[in-house]
Amino acid sequence: MKLGRLNHIGIATPSLEASIAYYREVMGATKVHAPFDLPAQGVKVCFVDTPGENGSAGTQIELIEPYDETSTITGFLAKNPAGGQHHMCYEVADIHEAKAWFEGLGCRVLGEPRIGAHGTLIFFVHPKDMNGVLTEIMETPKEGAAH
Ligand SMILES: CC[C@@H](C(=O)O)C(=O)SCCNC(=O)CCNC(=O)[C@H](O)C(C)(C)COP(=O)(O)OP(=O)(O)OC[C@H]1O[C@@H](n2cnc3c(N)ncnc32)[C@H](O)[C@@H]1OP(=O)(O)O
Ligand SMILES: [Co+2]
């Protein structure tokens, strides 16, 4: 497998609204996307852009709030009530090849590839098999696709 771009860093939060205010007012973020619900993934999402090189998109901050009490991030927030860094997401060219790679290494892939917030296939690898970091792998969006 070839490691691709760091697409986003997932930050779990009990309040998207409060986190958006923090990124705008404390961190000086100038591009905050409209929040949206992703019930299939159990989260409400808001992307904050960091600037990339030569005007291109940089790594994004992905703010995630539980969609309801059954959300996969409810347990994380129970342990970290103020929220915190939840996952790192790297792009790959071929999601199925990447899944086979991690499985071949004996890492626990959490479920089947599914459509993520950028509209491409994603999967997660268990943090205990990834040096303590919950790792999201996502297929690189096609050129010109919405971010
Ligand atoms: C917006 C959509 C999408 C995108 O396109 O970008 C997303 O990003 S959705 C993001 C939310 N979805 C997910 O996280 C799905 C994958 N996650 C899971 O399946 C679970 O969260 C989990 C990783 C299996 C953890 O399950 P949980 O039941 O909450 O915790 P456990 O108690 O079983 O944890 C076991 C162990 O792992 C430690 N842990 C848990 N979460 C993390 C984390 N985010 N980072 C680092 N470590 C984590 C936890 O502390 C336990 O450790 P010990 O206490 O030492 O046993
Ligand atoms: Co993510």
Side-chain angles (χ1 to χ4, degrees):
M1 192 201 70
K2 189 165 171 233
L3 179 67
R5 168 177 179 271
L6 177 61
N7 181 281
H8 65 263
I9 297 172
I11 307 284
T13 172
S15 166
L16 275 188
E17 195 185 346
S19 290
I20 289 167
Y22 166 80
Y23 276 94
R24 279 212 173 103
E25 292 159 23
V26 178
M27 298 304 291
T30 54
K31 177 71 184 172
V32 177
H33 295 252
F36 60 99
D37 293 347
L38 213 51
Q41 303 294 336
V43 289
K44 301 174 186 179
V45 191
C46 178
F47 283 108
V48 177
D49 287 0
T50 69
E53 284 179 26
N54 303 321
S56 67
T59 295
Q60 291 179 306
I61 306 297
E62 180 186 71
L63 301 171
I64 46 176
E65 180 190 310
Y67 180 72
D68 59 26
E69 66 284 353
T70 65
S71 173
T72 46
I73 65 169
T74 300
F76 181 90
L77 284 173
K79 284 184 187 168
N80 306 278
Q85 187 179 322
H86 181 262
H87 66 270
M88 309 270 278
C89 176
Y90 301 97
E91 294 182 11
V92 295
D94 184 329
I95 197 87
H96 301 291
E97 183 187 273
K99 179 171 179 275
W101 168 259
F102 286 110
E103 286 174 338
L105 293 174
C107 300
R108 282 164 285 179
V109 169
L110 301 163
E112 290 302 312
R114 50 199 180 275
I115 297 292
H118 292 88
T120 67
L121 288 168
I122 63 163
F123 65 81
F124 286 85
V125 191
H126 200 286
K128 294 293 181 190
D129 299 334
M130 301 294 282
N131 291 319
V133 179
L134 175 59
T135 302
E136 179 181 347
I137 301 294
M138 94 177 234
E139 201 158 77
T140 303
K142 300 281 175 267
E143 197 88 3
H147 244 253

